[in-house]
Amino acid sequence: MTVDTGESNGHISRHIYGHFAEHLGRGIYDGFWKKDANGDYIIRDDVVAAMKEIGVPNLRWPGGCFADYYFWEHGIGPKEERPTVVNNLWGGVTEDNSVGTHEFLALCEELEAEPIVVGNVGSGTVEDMANWWQYINHPGESPMANLRRENGREEPWDVHYWGVGNESWGCGGHMRPEYYADLYRRFSTFLHGYKNVRPFRIATGPAEADYNWTEVVMERAGDRIDGLDLHVYTIDGSWSTHKGQAVNFDESGWYRLMKRAMWMDELITNHTAIMDAHDPEKRVWLIVGEWGTWHEQEEGSVPGFLYQQNTLRDALTASVTLDIFHQHLDRVKMANIAQTINVLQAMILTDGERMLRTPTYHVFDLYKPHREATALPFELDRGQYEFAGNTLPAISATVSKNDEGRIHVSLTNIDPHQARSVELSFDGMKGMSVKSARILTADEMNARNTFDAPDALVPVEFDGAKVSNGKLVVSLPAKSLVTIAID
Ligand code: AHR
């Protein structure tokens, strides 16, 4: 591997490490919030503390599909007066609207996260959305700002990131891109800038390889869009039949999931090319607003709650995906892994008072040094991972330089059997030493953390990185991720 320390491959925005919390399963209730002795929902301090350790640059809410089903007026005012609604999308449970605008934005303040609020285009009106924007953001005298004050919040929250619908091609209304583009133009018109905040308007983007969606929406509404929200899930199997298992998989399941994770590169490349044709200045962000693994939910968990375990396999799909994002920094400025607690590829799982950090959480921890750093270009012989006559590139990497000039290298070896030696030379760097190194690996492909053994799989110090003849030589075990800090 040859790294050019004098060049830049782009700025790694912290917003690529964003999160997502939908009213789905145990993500909100029994996730970020728990009931106190009086039966009132309170924010979980342990969860917030754990999330603050990895840092939450932004948090997307209230969905997902739930966003186009959500009437924000139901979630303000005295809790006992808030109406209930049946969450038909996710498990058919009764949502009592205990967590609404004030509660979510208080959570963001605790997390020091920038909120991304997704408005209801599918079943709401332009007036609803414009009022919500005004309620949250208007600093002066206005009907909605006055209502906010009556509900106990004097100052506006200055929420900048605003989604205009979610998956409008599917659960958000099954629209054609032509129709959505017109609706987008209409809804976004009434998100007025105030002196404290202007809207950063995020349009529903494509599902996976729906290039026609990108083409039509960019062509018809691109001049009014700030971010286009691409959704890509990493599944082993198919949407229509059966998705793979989270824990009980063999090497074919390992291989297929890695292959699927790597598809992200092709998708971003192709959507970027379409966006480039309409927006050559690259003003519009490509936001990967939902990504992560989606398995069959855990047996015995509530149907529709999308609760799944998380193994070393999920972790390495995450590091490979983050590496791909870092190769597309001219467009990819924001992303949200789905979803933070107890849903899909979660950072944290809870069981009553107990909680655990998943292997994916530890990837976010190992990648923390890359945030707000400069990605360095490199050339890498990625080697080949072979399985049943098929091959994938074995090694994936990110190299970045932070403001203090320190270089961090993350290397993932997806090969579950073969260790590899990677020799790195750094052009433009005289002399170096390994400052620290940590590794995430295990003997089993499905190694994971459980409530009885919450730290079974955590990063540990790594002694396999040595400087020799002016090069960094890394002995990378099979199925591992390492992050090395170099001075
Ligand atoms: O993350 C779960 C669901 O996946 C979201 O609600 C939706 O946007 C997507 O289809």
Side-chain angles (χ1 to χ4, degrees), residues 8 10 23 67 85 93 115 138 186 243 250 253 276 280 299 366 377 385 412 450 456:
S8 164
H23 288 242
V85 51
V93 291
H138 192 252
R186 180 161 167 244
K243 295 183 271 301
D250 56 15
D276 285 354
E299 230 178 284
L366 287 168
Y385 158 41
T412 299
T450 62

Side-chain angles (χ1 to χ4, degrees), residues 169-187:
W169 37 262
C171 61
H174 292 102
M175 300 174 201
R176 295 173 306 118
E178 293 80 2
Y179 180 65
Y180 173 73
D182 282 348
L183 275 191
Y184 173 87
R185 295 176 72 88
R186 180 161 167 244
F187 274 72

Side-chain angles (χ1 to χ4, degrees), residues 92-104:
V93 291
T94 301
E95 157 74 57
D96 72 359
N97 282 301
S98 288
V99 171
T101 302
H102 291 249
E103 291 76 21
F104 169 68

